[in-house]
Amino acid sequence: MTDRLHRFLFEHADVRGEVVQLDEAFTAITQRAEYGPAVDRLIGEGLAAVALLAATLKYPCDLTLQLQAGGPLRLLLVQAGSDGSLRAMAQTSATVPADAPLDAQAAGGTLAITIDPESDAERYQGVVDLAGGSLGAALEHYFRESEQLATRVWLSAREGHAAGMLIQRLPASDAAGGDADAWARADQLAATITGPELRELAPGEVIRRLFHEEDIRIFDPMPFRFRCRCSRDRVAAMLQGLGEQEMRDTLEAEGLVEVRCDFCNEPYRFDAVDVEAMFTEPANRSPDSGQSH
């Protein structure tokens, strides 16, 4: 099965981990825009990253990874929902070099992780500078600075296959008989993984090959899929926020207001009747006005 995340836990030790593979979602997203190979890879790594991060949370939420920079990559925005939905988009100011370190691809960039709980709990955001030359290294930097948790992250994306692995040292428990050396062993073993292995081997096989001498519990897989949250109503609300005069000016110049979703490239078109309806209270519309389709 593709597009699945597998969580695992070291028994009798304060270490947990996750392995994710995303093929269908990665392909569906990158086919909707012509970003180029370098940006496609960063999108794939970003998708694997948000899936790994979302699975560490204990409550329903939306998680957003946002990389902003001066260029050539100006923006990378990747989102995951607790329902397993994924979407992503990017903006560039020039061709992004394929094999350059991340701080050259996204010069002067910062990485922000935002968690929006579905409940009334407080919104959280952590921001760090890019460090280490890769998105995985930047995420490790984020965990050191914002979460104070020892965490290692591996990400890889090539030719329609995206994958990632995370291992994390949990706060020490008071349980007797804990394995004090488990984190050091887990780190050393996980560091032997290669990008092709991470992308091509089944997640369960990755876990077994790396940790076959460890006492590991593997949980049921969590599915992920591409799903955009855009809708005509949401786009209309955004246009209303721009103001009536701007909409009428656009109508006069273009004959139509057209908006394309940055995530899925879906077009939304609004004609004069639609725009009139946006800025007219329903109670004030005449039944014979024709202000609807």
PDB file of all heavy atoms in Angstrom, residues 67-74 101-111 127-131:
ATOM      1  N   LEU A  67       8.210  27.654   4.432  1.00  0.00           N
ATOM      2  CA  LEU A  67       9.571  28.122   4.223  1.00  0.00           C
ATOM      3  C   LEU A  67       9.494  29.391   3.396  1.00  0.00           C
ATOM      4  O   LEU A  67       8.977  29.373   2.280  1.00  0.00           O
ATOM      5  CB  LEU A  67      10.393  27.043   3.516  1.00  0.00           C
ATOM      6  CG  LEU A  67      11.913  27.234   3.410  1.00  0.00           C
ATOM      7  CD1 LEU A  67      12.572  25.888   3.120  1.00  0.00           C
ATOM      8  CD2 LEU A  67      12.294  28.226   2.309  1.00  0.00           C
ATOM      9  N   GLN A  68       9.984  30.494   3.936  1.00  0.00           N
ATOM     10  CA  GLN A  68      10.013  31.766   3.223  1.00  0.00           C
ATOM     11  C   GLN A  68      11.454  32.215   3.061  1.00  0.00           C
ATOM     12  O   GLN A  68      12.256  32.094   3.996  1.00  0.00           O
ATOM     13  CB  GLN A  68       9.227  32.838   3.976  1.00  0.00           C
ATOM     14  CG  GLN A  68       7.727  32.640   3.930  1.00  0.00           C
ATOM     15  CD  GLN A  68       6.974  33.785   4.567  1.00  0.00           C
ATOM     16  OE1 GLN A  68       7.062  33.992   5.768  1.00  0.00           O
ATOM     17  NE2 GLN A  68       6.240  34.543   3.764  1.00  0.00           N
ATOM     18  N   ALA A  69      11.780  32.720   1.858  1.00  0.00           N
ATOM     19  CA  ALA A  69      13.165  33.068   1.585  1.00  0.00           C
ATOM     20  C   ALA A  69      13.233  34.177   0.545  1.00  0.00           C
ATOM     21  O   ALA A  69      12.227  34.565  -0.055  1.00  0.00           O
ATOM     22  CB  ALA A  69      13.929  31.833   1.102  1.00  0.00           C
ATOM     23  N   GLY A  70      14.446  34.657   0.317  1.00  0.00           N
ATOM     24  CA  GLY A  70      14.665  35.692  -0.685  1.00  0.00           C
ATOM     25  C   GLY A  70      14.846  35.166  -2.081  1.00  0.00           C
ATOM     26  O   GLY A  70      14.855  35.938  -3.029  1.00  0.00           O
ATOM     27  N   GLY A  71      15.001  33.867  -2.240  1.00  0.00           N
ATOM     28  CA  GLY A  71      15.113  33.270  -3.558  1.00  0.00           C
ATOM     29  C   GLY A  71      16.339  32.389  -3.654  1.00  0.00           C
ATOM     30  O   GLY A  71      17.174  32.373  -2.766  1.00  0.00           O
ATOM     31  N   PRO A  72      16.433  31.611  -4.716  1.00  0.00           N
ATOM     32  CA  PRO A  72      15.486  31.458  -5.830  1.00  0.00           C
ATOM     33  C   PRO A  72      14.105  30.899  -5.403  1.00  0.00           C
ATOM     34  O   PRO A  72      13.102  31.229  -5.988  1.00  0.00           O
ATOM     35  CB  PRO A  72      16.187  30.487  -6.776  1.00  0.00           C
ATOM     36  CG  PRO A  72      17.630  30.559  -6.420  1.00  0.00           C
ATOM     37  CD  PRO A  72      17.666  30.816  -4.943  1.00  0.00           C
ATOM     38  N   LEU A  73      14.103  30.025  -4.379  1.00  0.00           N
ATOM     39  CA  LEU A  73      12.816  29.593  -3.824  1.00  0.00           C
ATOM     40  C   LEU A  73      12.327  30.663  -2.873  1.00  0.00           C
ATOM     41  O   LEU A  73      12.990  30.982  -1.888  1.00  0.00           O
ATOM     42  CB  LEU A  73      12.976  28.262  -3.087  1.00  0.00           C
ATOM     43  CG  LEU A  73      11.707  27.694  -2.448  1.00  0.00           C
ATOM     44  CD1 LEU A  73      10.721  27.244  -3.503  1.00  0.00           C
ATOM     45  CD2 LEU A  73      12.047  26.544  -1.505  1.00  0.00           C
ATOM     46  N   ARG A  74      11.160  31.250  -3.181  1.00  0.00           N
ATOM     47  CA  ARG A  74      10.602  32.303  -2.341  1.00  0.00           C
ATOM     48  C   ARG A  74       9.675  31.746  -1.269  1.00  0.00           C
ATOM     49  O   ARG A  74       9.616  32.263  -0.154  1.00  0.00           O
ATOM     50  CB  ARG A  74       9.853  33.322  -3.196  1.00  0.00           C
ATOM     51  CG  ARG A  74      10.750  34.142  -4.113  1.00  0.00           C
ATOM     52  CD  ARG A  74       9.943  35.146  -4.926  1.00  0.00           C
ATOM     53  NE  ARG A  74       9.097  35.975  -4.074  1.00  0.00           N
ATOM     54  CZ  ARG A  74       7.767  35.980  -4.110  1.00  0.00           C
ATOM     55  NH1 ARG A  74       7.120  35.202  -4.975  1.00  0.00           N
ATOM     56  NH2 ARG A  74       7.073  36.778  -3.314  1.00  0.00           N
ATOM     57  N   PRO A 101      22.710  23.133  -1.660  1.00  0.00           N
ATOM     58  CA  PRO A 101      22.162  23.057  -0.301  1.00  0.00           C
ATOM     59  C   PRO A 101      20.937  23.953  -0.149  1.00  0.00           C
ATOM     60  O   PRO A 101      20.753  24.913  -0.905  1.00  0.00           O
ATOM     61  CB  PRO A 101      23.319  23.521   0.582  1.00  0.00           C
ATOM     62  CG  PRO A 101      24.206  24.301  -0.325  1.00  0.00           C
ATOM     63  CD  PRO A 101      24.072  23.682  -1.679  1.00  0.00           C
ATOM     64  N   LEU A 102      20.134  23.652   0.842  1.00  0.00           N
ATOM     65  CA  LEU A 102      18.868  24.363   1.012  1.00  0.00           C
ATOM     66  C   LEU A 102      19.075  25.855   1.215  1.00  0.00           C
ATOM     67  O   LEU A 102      18.290  26.667   0.713  1.00  0.00           O
ATOM     68  CB  LEU A 102      18.095  23.779   2.196  1.00  0.00           C
ATOM     69  CG  LEU A 102      16.720  24.384   2.481  1.00  0.00           C
ATOM     70  CD1 LEU A 102      15.788  24.203   1.290  1.00  0.00           C
ATOM     71  CD2 LEU A 102      16.109  23.766   3.729  1.00  0.00           C
ATOM     72  N   ASP A 103      20.132  26.252   1.931  1.00  0.00           N
ATOM     73  CA  ASP A 103      20.323  27.682   2.172  1.00  0.00           C
ATOM     74  C   ASP A 103      20.766  28.425   0.922  1.00  0.00           C
ATOM     75  O   ASP A 103      20.740  29.666   0.895  1.00  0.00           O
ATOM     76  CB  ASP A 103      21.297  27.925   3.324  1.00  0.00           C
ATOM     77  CG  ASP A 103      22.616  27.205   3.135  1.00  0.00           C
ATOM     78  OD1 ASP A 103      22.798  26.531   2.100  1.00  0.00           O
ATOM     79  OD2 ASP A 103      23.481  27.308   4.025  1.00  0.00           O
ATOM     80  N   ALA A 104      21.162  27.708  -0.136  1.00  0.00           N
ATOM     81  CA  ALA A 104      21.410  28.339  -1.431  1.00  0.00           C
ATOM     82  C   ALA A 104      20.145  28.350  -2.278  1.00  0.00           C
ATOM     83  O   ALA A 104      19.887  29.299  -3.017  1.00  0.00           O
ATOM     84  CB  ALA A 104      22.528  27.615  -2.171  1.00  0.00           C
ATOM     85  N   GLN A 105      19.333  27.306  -2.162  1.00  0.00           N
ATOM     86  CA  GLN A 105      18.061  27.269  -2.885  1.00  0.00           C
ATOM     87  C   GLN A 105      17.076  28.289  -2.333  1.00  0.00           C
ATOM     88  O   GLN A 105      16.255  28.831  -3.079  1.00  0.00           O
ATOM     89  CB  GLN A 105      17.458  25.861  -2.797  1.00  0.00           C
ATOM     90  CG  GLN A 105      18.273  24.784  -3.493  1.00  0.00           C
ATOM     91  CD  GLN A 105      17.691  23.404  -3.240  1.00  0.00           C
ATOM     92  OE1 GLN A 105      17.243  23.071  -2.145  1.00  0.00           O
ATOM     93  NE2 GLN A 105      17.684  22.579  -4.291  1.00  0.00           N
ATOM     94  N   ALA A 106      17.137  28.517  -1.037  1.00  0.00           N
ATOM     95  CA  ALA A 106      16.215  29.445  -0.357  1.00  0.00           C
ATOM     96  C   ALA A 106      17.037  30.413   0.482  1.00  0.00           C
ATOM     97  O   ALA A 106      17.078  30.321   1.713  1.00  0.00           O
ATOM     98  CB  ALA A 106      15.225  28.669   0.510  1.00  0.00           C
ATOM     99  N   ALA A 107      17.701  31.335  -0.199  1.00  0.00           N
ATOM    100  CA  ALA A 107      18.656  32.220   0.462  1.00  0.00           C
ATOM    101  C   ALA A 107      17.987  33.069   1.533  1.00  0.00           C
ATOM    102  O   ALA A 107      16.926  33.650   1.311  1.00  0.00           O
ATOM    103  CB  ALA A 107      19.320  33.119  -0.575  1.00  0.00           C
ATOM    104  N   GLY A 108      18.623  33.132   2.708  1.00  0.00           N
ATOM    105  CA  GLY A 108      18.100  33.948   3.795  1.00  0.00           C
ATOM    106  C   GLY A 108      16.774  33.478   4.342  1.00  0.00           C
ATOM    107  O   GLY A 108      16.024  34.276   4.909  1.00  0.00           O
ATOM    108  N   GLY A 109      16.491  32.195   4.197  1.00  0.00           N
ATOM    109  CA  GLY A 109      15.163  31.699   4.528  1.00  0.00           C
ATOM    110  C   GLY A 109      14.947  31.383   5.996  1.00  0.00           C
ATOM    111  O   GLY A 109      15.882  31.226   6.784  1.00  0.00           O
ATOM    112  N   THR A 110      13.679  31.299   6.365  1.00  0.00           N
ATOM    113  CA  THR A 110      13.263  30.836   7.684  1.00  0.00           C
ATOM    114  C   THR A 110      12.234  29.724   7.510  1.00  0.00           C
ATOM    115  O   THR A 110      11.544  29.645   6.492  1.00  0.00           O
ATOM    116  CB  THR A 110      12.629  31.963   8.519  1.00  0.00           C
ATOM    117  OG1 THR A 110      11.509  32.512   7.814  1.00  0.00           O
ATOM    118  CG2 THR A 110      13.640  33.052   8.810  1.00  0.00           C
ATOM    119  N   LEU A 111      12.151  28.878   8.511  1.00  0.00           N
ATOM    120  CA  LEU A 111      11.211  27.773   8.507  1.00  0.00           C
ATOM    121  C   LEU A 111      10.253  27.943   9.671  1.00  0.00           C
ATOM    122  O   LEU A 111      10.681  28.077  10.820  1.00  0.00           O
ATOM    123  CB  LEU A 111      11.958  26.439   8.636  1.00  0.00           C
ATOM    124  CG  LEU A 111      11.098  25.177   8.632  1.00  0.00           C
ATOM    125  CD1 LEU A 111      10.505  24.939   7.250  1.00  0.00           C
ATOM    126  CD2 LEU A 111      11.921  23.968   9.060  1.00  0.00           C
ATOM    127  N   VAL A 127       9.426  29.251  14.818  1.00  0.00           N
ATOM    128  CA  VAL A 127      10.174  29.726  13.652  1.00  0.00           C
ATOM    129  C   VAL A 127      11.662  29.577  13.924  1.00  0.00           C
ATOM    130  O   VAL A 127      12.145  29.958  15.008  1.00  0.00           O
ATOM    131  CB  VAL A 127       9.855  31.203  13.336  1.00  0.00           C
ATOM    132  CG1 VAL A 127      10.615  31.660  12.092  1.00  0.00           C
ATOM    133  CG2 VAL A 127       8.353  31.406  13.151  1.00  0.00           C
ATOM    134  N   VAL A 128      12.396  29.011  12.955  1.00  0.00           N
ATOM    135  CA  VAL A 128      13.849  28.878  13.070  1.00  0.00           C
ATOM    136  C   VAL A 128      14.488  29.260  11.743  1.00  0.00           C
ATOM    137  O   VAL A 128      13.854  29.224  10.687  1.00  0.00           O
ATOM    138  CB  VAL A 128      14.267  27.435  13.446  1.00  0.00           C
ATOM    139  CG1 VAL A 128      13.786  27.076  14.833  1.00  0.00           C
ATOM    140  CG2 VAL A 128      13.771  26.430  12.411  1.00  0.00           C
ATOM    141  N   ASP A 129      15.756  29.632  11.798  1.00  0.00           N
ATOM    142  CA  ASP A 129      16.525  29.847  10.582  1.00  0.00           C
ATOM    143  C   ASP A 129      16.842  28.505   9.935  1.00  0.00           C
ATOM    144  O   ASP A 129      16.901  27.469  10.610  1.00  0.00           O
ATOM    145  CB  ASP A 129      17.841  30.574  10.899  1.00  0.00           C
ATOM    146  CG  ASP A 129      17.605  31.987  11.401  1.00  0.00           C
ATOM    147  OD1 ASP A 129      16.567  32.571  11.024  1.00  0.00           O
ATOM    148  OD2 ASP A 129      18.445  32.490  12.166  1.00  0.00           O
ATOM    149  N   LEU A 130      17.057  28.526   8.625  1.00  0.00           N
ATOM    150  CA  LEU A 130      17.475  27.309   7.944  1.00  0.00           C
ATOM    151  C   LEU A 130      18.885  26.961   8.404  1.00  0.00           C
ATOM    152  O   LEU A 130      19.752  27.809   8.532  1.00  0.00           O
ATOM    153  CB  LEU A 130      17.456  27.500   6.430  1.00  0.00           C
ATOM    154  CG  LEU A 130      16.099  27.868   5.823  1.00  0.00           C
ATOM    155  CD1 LEU A 130      16.201  27.947   4.307  1.00  0.00           C
ATOM    156  CD2 LEU A 130      15.014  26.880   6.229  1.00  0.00           C
ATOM    157  N   ALA A 131      19.113  25.676   8.640  1.00  0.00           N
ATOM    158  CA  ALA A 131      20.427  25.240   9.105  1.00  0.00           C
ATOM    159  C   ALA A 131      20.683  23.827   8.614  1.00  0.00           C
ATOM    160  O   ALA A 131      19.755  23.019   8.509  1.00  0.00           O
ATOM    161  CB  ALA A 131      20.496  25.286  10.629  1.00  0.00           C
TER     162      ALA A 131
END
